[in-house]
Amino acid sequence: MSSNSLFDRNKTVFAGGCWRDGSGQDLLKVFNPSTGEVVAKVPSGGPSDVDDAAAAAANAFGSWKSVPSVTRAGYLRAFARGLADRQEALVDVQMTVNGKPRLEAEIDVGDAIATFDYYAGLADGLDERQDAPVIHAGGEHLGRVRHEALGPVGMIVPWNFPLVTSAWKIAPALAAGCTAVMKTSEFTPLIELVYGDIAAEIGLPAGVLNIVTGGADVGIAITEAPEFRKVSFTGSNMVGAKVMQAVAKRCLPIALELGGKSPIIVTEDADLETALDCVMGGIYFNAGQMCSATSRLIVHDDLEAKLLEGLVERSRATKVASPFEEGTEMGPITTRAQFDKIREYLDQACSQGLDCLTGGKAQADCAGNFIEPTIYRNVPHEHHIWREEVFGPVLATTTFRSDEEALRIANDTRYGLVGSVVCSDPDRGKALCDGIAAGQIWLNTPQIVYPESAWGGFKASGIGRELGPWGLSGFQGVKHVTAPC
Ligand code: NAD
């Protein structure tokens, strides 16, 4: 049994400032994907917990939106400190439950801390930025503009970066003056409960932040709760469409952070080491379980052989093992269902004769969900490995001869979340970055996301932006007041 108290939960609903038993019928089993063992069984919340939490959020809204924004900033900084104080326990949970290598688990905690600190900074000056004057033509009237909190909001998050996706919603919402009810993923229900621990510890007013564990029934209850003024969802396109339909019945604002099938373009003049780092990081970080995975490599004909040789060599040398083993670079797939889905893709690719340069299968003789780093060369552009989000360490490659062709291939997708470009010529690099239809592009750098960045997709990758000032304004309504001079 672990000595980490974050695993020992019998109360997994935080509503109205109190921990309580979940009303759900099921126990949520939490697995260690490196071994297949169950590491915790936690009671699930149910739809009635959402009702109570939404009522608590609605009750708390009036006073929370009215406290000085510097006071809200103080609470956000206290969240950041609370996370920092629990750093080691949080890293341990993510290594155990998500299978993240230590460095990646540490990056997630650092990201969540930075997000709370960043939005504390934006909240600091929020009141001062209110009532900005607007001069109207004719000189008879003067306007003033306010950015006001939308109200109580419902939030639904997935399992692949649980601490981070939740921070990206909670921090800006609370900074804006909104109150929130967040549903955690049924597969990783433990980690976000830490936000309830911290809320209780720092004396966050009751009802400002509420957390409910559970599955689709709890998610549906979030989309249906009449108290919410917005629903913010991160997850798959399939569920995102259901959330959109449910919320559309009440014509509410919605934010959707969905999937991707993102391109990485490597030109013939690219620095080889940089290209290798960017391609490897873009597909093997978090074992490829990233909405932002650059799973389609589009490399210039003249560099293909050299780049693929380096990628195969590095992929074969990547240590895939439990994060608790020394030197592990890539961990397991977090859920068995996702592991099975990836294996299906690999089996089909094999039977359809795709050119597999390395990997292409699960690790043999092992109870964990380990998939070998996999590269398919010269994948037809209509193949599902090229078009669909595999959500695993599976890279598909193709080649190009002209930049127009590279961009045409890059943009031939229903998604538009991110893109990467590796290119030594600055003008050409800029033109390629500007030509990709996606919300975040990296040039000659592995994926790094700053709190000041914008995060969100073009096309079917979503609606709205998280992070940066856009993350804050996503929880605000603009009010214009017109009065005689
Ligand atoms: P998922 O869509 O299966 O589940 C997401 C959440 O929705 C979970 O909490 C789930 O319980 C809940 N849910 C399920 N059915 C629901 C319903 N009918 N109504 C309301 N909620 C419901 O996604 P997942 O498998 O947990 O996560 C992987 C997906 O998330 C990938 O597609 C990935 O690209 C995407 N993702 C996107 C971003 C981004 O920022 N764009 C970030 C992380 C993950």
Side-chain angles (χ1 to χ4, degrees), residues 21 23 47 60 164 175 190 205 217 256 276 315 357 423 438 477:
D21 295 328
S23 66
V164 172
L190 296 175
D217 59 336
L256 296 176
L276 287 167
S315 299
L357 298 183
C423 173

Side-chain angles (χ1 to χ4, degrees), residues 107 111 168 292 420 440-442 445-451 453-455 467:
I107 288 173
D111 186 319
W168 290 8
S292 60
S420 283
Q440 164 81 55
I441 313 287
W442 292 278
T445 183
Q447 296 192 8
I448 177 158
V449 184
Y450 291 101
S453 310
W455 188 263
L467 296 180

Side-chain angles (χ1 to χ4, degrees), residues 160 234-238 257-263 282-283 288-296 341 345 384-392 394 410 412-419 437-439 447 455-462:
N160 60 334
T234 300
S236 64
N237 282 61
M238 199 181 69
E257 293 290 342
L258 304 176
K261 186 71 190 179
S262 297
I283 192 63
Q289 301 161 104
M290 292 190 290
C291 51
S292 60
T294 41
S295 50
R296 292 184 298 138
K341 187 176 147 196
Y345 273 109
H384 45 264
I385 290 272
W386 186 262
R387 303 209 81 84
E388 294 170 17
E389 185 180 46
V390 176
F391 223 55
V394 180
D412 179 18
T413 167
R414 72 188 186 109
Y415 295 111
L417 191 59
V418 306
Q447 296 192 8
W455 188 263
F458 285 31
K459 302 194 270 183
S461 286

Side-chain angles (χ1 to χ4, degrees), residues 7 9-10 12 27-30 38-44 189-190:
F7 285 103
R9 298 278 187 180
N10 51 11
T12 52
L27 279 182
L28 300 174
K29 280 187 191 162
V30 184
V38 175
V39 291
K41 287 183 190 166
V42 299
S44 175
L190 296 175

